[in-house]
Amino acid sequence: MSADRILDIAKRRGFFWQSSQIYGGIAGFYDYAHLGTMLKRKWESVWRGFFLSLDDNFYEISPSVIMPKNVFVASGHLESFVDPIVKCVKCKNVERADHLLETQLKQNFEGISIEDIEKLIKKHNIRCPKCRGELREIGELNMMFPIEVGTSDAAEAYLTGETAQGAYVNFKLEFDCLRKRLPMGLAVVGKAFRNEIAPRNMLIRMREFSQAELQIFFDPKKINQHPDFRKVSKYKLRLFPVKNRKKNKINEVSCSDVVKKLKLPKFYVYHMAKVQQFYLDLLKLPHKKFRFRQLSDEEKAFYNKYHWDVELDIESVGGFKEVAGVHYRTDHDLKGHQEISNQNMEVSADGRKFIPHVLELSFGVDRNVYALLDLAYEKEKGVRDVLRFPRMVSTFDAAVFPLVNKDGLPEKSRELQCLLVDNGLKVFYDASGSIGRRYRRVDEIGVAASFTCDHQTLKDNTITLRDRDSMKQVRIKLWDAPNVLKRFLRGEELPKLGKPFK
Ligand SMILES: [Zn+2]
């Protein structure tokens, strides 16, 4: 399926569109519409539920997105957070150099040096894609957004380029509040900003975007252990190591073998397993659409010692794309902040003083939402268009319909709607058109469960529950609907929830 098709669905049904569209918008900024916002919130809430429960000492915080310049001096972003660019001599068009090479030479050039870019442009005589002019002025552009704060005496500040820094500047304060225990986790679900030269692929590369990140501060001496490692030791990770790139092959390797053969520490591998379980066991995405991609030394961010990205196979944007990452950032960040802020970041534990190390689980929320949309879409020829979102994140929790718009069925349906809403569930109510048409409509926006009140309901207070994916139905008691729906959304199978109904 093409990217245009996704954009069309997103616009027509209300998932997302270009921001400030009535004024023409600015590239790289998108607004979530009503369904997109529901999908995004659900994904975030599943994320919170899963990752914050990995340890009693993991918490969410909400730091400011505007931070003083020194934060980014300390983090290295002002110096190293750059993209390579080339400029056309004739029409002044600026292109992101590695992306231009990628489209022209059909290879990945992320992390390539300026010198190598120059060589490749000469060697292959690559020219301006807009006017065929000569490309020169190869250089770098910093992606941080500067911001003026106040009127006179403006403080130098920036919009944060990653939510992680908010966790690092709060580390010491939280460590003291939380009774000085390691590991300690600080999660941030929030916005980040990068002045991309070439925003592209809709929600995949934006200038304002959302991240869900968990920074785990731990004792580096304990990196080769995790109290729950035994529980995942036989669990198989889907790995795409650097050496497999030519063969384009994914290996399934048990966590204990990953530790032994790939020499990755247990603390790191345990969290890889949890990330994979989030995608495959909780969201139940297809296994073959998921892989961990090892980054080569050139591709790795300057601060990461171990770096495997999570990639999902997103057809509409050309295949496997990064949606998350597991990053071992060592003490790079806290050490940097200690140096620039002159605040001691050391902690005392087990009779030693040291700066904790950081394992970061980093997720691009928008990319994940886009991937859900891409993976969910299916055109069942001659039958229907359906969005098969995982039940847990499927926009509305349920639809409620009266079979016909008379005989007291609308009143009964409103009663059911109230019951569900009172139980904290989000309901889509629809009484217009035939029941078949109404089912199609909710299939198109991805609602997983539909309840219908029919004439039987008036006799014995039972209703039908229809499953979007199988289109099968069961009969249940009306008063039991909130409980049954919650079980359904958690993944329980339809036949277990009620009596079969045709
Ligand atoms: Zn040009």
Side-chain angles (χ1 to χ4, degrees):
M1 180 193 18
S2 70
D4 288 345
R5 183 86 190 105
I6 294 269
L7 189 61
D8 179 57
I9 291 169
K11 269 172 86 168
R12 271 190 306 118
R13 298 181 196 168
F15 285 94
F16 63 83
W17 42 60
Q18 169 109 60
S19 180
S20 302
Q21 208 175 79
I22 59 168
Y23 292 102
I26 311 174
F29 296 92
Y30 282 84
D31 289 349
Y32 282 92
H34 69 287
L35 289 179
T37 303
M38 277 189 228
L39 188 61
K40 181 172 183 252
R41 285 222 188 294
K42 284 221 174 160
W43 185 92
E44 288 171 346
S45 120
V46 174
W47 186 91
R48 283 186 175 100
F50 184 79
F51 287 103
L52 291 177
S53 69
L54 291 183
D55 191 298
D56 295 343
N57 205 29
F58 287 2
Y59 293 93
E60 183 180 0
I61 58 168
S62 302
S64 169
V65 293
I66 297 177
M67 302 174 97
K69 179 181 175 184
N70 274 346
V71 170
F72 306 106
V73 174
S75 69
H77 282 85
L78 286 178
E79 196 185 300
S80 316
F81 205 45
V82 289
D83 271 344
I85 51 166
V86 285
K87 200 168 168 185
C88 167
V89 179
K90 223 164 106 191
C91 75
K92 311 286 176 219
N93 169 36
V94 176
E95 293 274 337
R96 188 164 153 182
D98 53 341
H99 288 174
L100 181 68
L101 292 175
E102 191 184 312
T103 29
Q104 301 272 323
L105 305 176
K106 310 275 177 251
Q107 260 186 70
N108 192 346
F109 290 101
E110 207 144 323
I112 186 174
S113 74
I114 298 289
E115 296 77 51
D116 288 342
I117 291 171
E118 224 162 350
K119 274 183 213 155
L120 283 169
I121 286 182
K122 279 217 181 90
K123 184 178 163 199
H124 297 278
N125 190 27
I126 292 169
R127 299 195 150 247
C128 171
K130 294 221 165 114
C131 78
R132 308 283 309 142
E134 199 184 327
L135 293 170
R136 258 193 240 148
E137 287 186 48
I138 298 155
E140 285 173 330
L141 193 88
N142 192 284
M143 287 190 284
M144 298 297 292
F145 271 110
I147 231 181
E148 271 180 39
V149 180
T151 45
S152 60
D153 244 10
E156 273 191 278
Y158 289 84
L159 290 174
T160 192
E162 55 174 12
T163 60
Q165 295 306 322
Y168 303 146
V169 298
N170 283 294
F171 164 70
K172 214 45 198 297
L173 292 165
E174 286 289 356
F175 186 71
D176 291 342
C177 288
L178 290 168
R179 297 176 30 212
K180 305 179 194 292
R181 282 188 299 140
L182 292 180
M184 177 180 92
L186 295 179
V188 180
V189 180
K191 294 265 184 163
F193 305 82
R194 291 179 191 177
N195 199 1
E196 297 278 355
I197 302 134
R200 57 178 184 176
N201 288 339
M202 295 172 278
L203 305 189
I204 300 285
R205 195 176 290 281
M206 294 197 288
R207 287 174 164 144
E208 175 187 348
F209 56 100
S210 295
Q211 291 184 309
E213 297 191 308
L214 173 62
Q215 311 297 327
I216 306 168
F217 303 89
F218 67 98
D219 178 349
K221 278 218 162 152
K222 296 184 176 167
I223 195 167
N224 283 312
Q225 62 192 69
H226 189 286
D228 291 328
F229 187 82
R230 247 169 8 106
K231 288 186 193 158
V232 299
S233 67
K234 290 198 178 112
Y235 182 73
K236 284 188 174 169
L237 299 178
R238 295 177 51 80
L239 301 181
F240 186 56
V242 170
K243 65 176 173 54
N244 278 20
R245 288 196 193 168
K246 279 219 171 92
K247 293 177 287 183
N248 197 22
K249 191 174 164 265
I250 291 165
N251 292 341
E252 295 215 356
V253 187
S254 72
C255 286
S256 58
D257 278 346
V258 174
V259 170
K260 266 183 238 142
K261 291 177 185 155
L262 284 140
K263 309 271 182 263
L264 287 172
K266 276 185 181 167
F267 195 75
Y268 186 88
V269 176
Y270 174 80
H271 289 96
M272 285 177 90
K274 289 293 143 182
V275 169
Q276 180 172 311
Q277 285 172 354
F278 171 73
Y279 282 99
L280 301 187
D281 301 352
L282 197 61
L283 291 174
K284 298 192 166 64
L285 297 184
H287 286 222
K288 64 178 197 311
K289 299 280 185 185
F290 175 100
R291 72 183 186 192
F292 276 112
R293 177 175 184 270
Q294 182 184 29
L295 272 75
S296 67
D297 288 339
E298 298 79 56
E299 292 165 333
K300 267 193 310 206
F302 55 94
Y303 41 73
N304 285 335
K305 184 164 176 197
Y306 302 123
H307 185 161
W308 291 70
D309 275 340
V310 171
E311 293 191 326
L312 294 177
D313 188 359
I314 313 174
E315 194 193 327
S316 63
V317 288
F320 278 101
K321 282 275 177 296
E322 170 200 353
V323 294
V326 182
H327 312 139
Y328 173 34
R329 295 173 71 129
T330 67
D331 58 0
H332 167 82
D333 302 278
L334 290 184
K335 216 167 154 184
H337 287 301
Q338 172 170 292
E339 237 171 75
I340 303 295
S341 70
N342 284 316
Q343 304 279 316
N344 186 7
M345 295 292 164
E346 281 178 322
V347 304
S348 302
D350 296 340
R352 289 181 298 123
K353 276 197 154 198
F354 59 91
I355 295 180
H357 281 209
V358 170
L359 177 68
E360 173 187 64
L361 311 183
S362 170
F363 296 71
V365 177
D366 315 282
R367 290 178 173 205
N368 278 282
V369 169
Y370 184 89
L372 286 177
L373 198 58
D374 176 287
L375 293 173
Y377 179 73
E378 199 174 324
K379 194 170 187 67
E380 290 175 4
K381 245 187 150 181
V383 184
R384 58 175 183 164
D385 260 23
V386 58
L387 286 172
R388 294 181 190 274
F389 292 128
R391 285 181 193 174
M392 273 194 171
V393 297
S394 62
T395 59
F396 292 91
D397 293 310
V400 168
F401 306 132
L403 181 68
V404 290
N405 221 346
K406 55 181 183 187
D407 304 338
L409 292 181
E411 291 75 9
K412 206 75 202 166
S413 303
R414 288 293 186 189
E415 211 178 285
L416 170 61
Q417 180 185 16
C418 285
L419 177 67
L420 293 166
V421 170
D422 285 348
N423 277 275
L425 296 152
K426 181 88 184 154
V427 173
F428 178 83
Y429 183 87
D430 190 4
S432 64
S434 73
I435 190 73
R437 284 259 305 274
R438 281 180 266 157
Y439 283 144
R440 295 291 168 271
R441 230 175 269 153
V442 291
D443 289 343
E444 280 183 13
I445 60 172
V447 184
S450 300
F451 292 113
T452 301
C453 294
D454 54 16
H455 291 96
Q456 185 73 28
T457 312
L458 300 174
K459 284 180 210 151
D460 61 4
N461 254 334
T462 62
I463 54 175
T464 65
L465 162 62
R466 171 188 181 266
D467 166 30
R468 172 200 64 205
D469 293 339
S470 66
M471 295 196 271
K472 293 215 162 82
Q473 302 189 47
V474 292
R475 272 204 103 82
I476 64 159
K477 296 216 158 52
L478 187 147
W479 57 264
D480 204 19
N483 170 41
V484 168
L485 180 56
K486 283 174 189 168
R487 284 163 59 199
F488 177 83
L489 295 176
R490 276 201 300 270
E492 232 171 283
E493 296 189 24
L494 198 66
K496 287 188 186 152
L497 297 170
K499 288 193 184 119
F501 172 77
K502 286 207 174 177

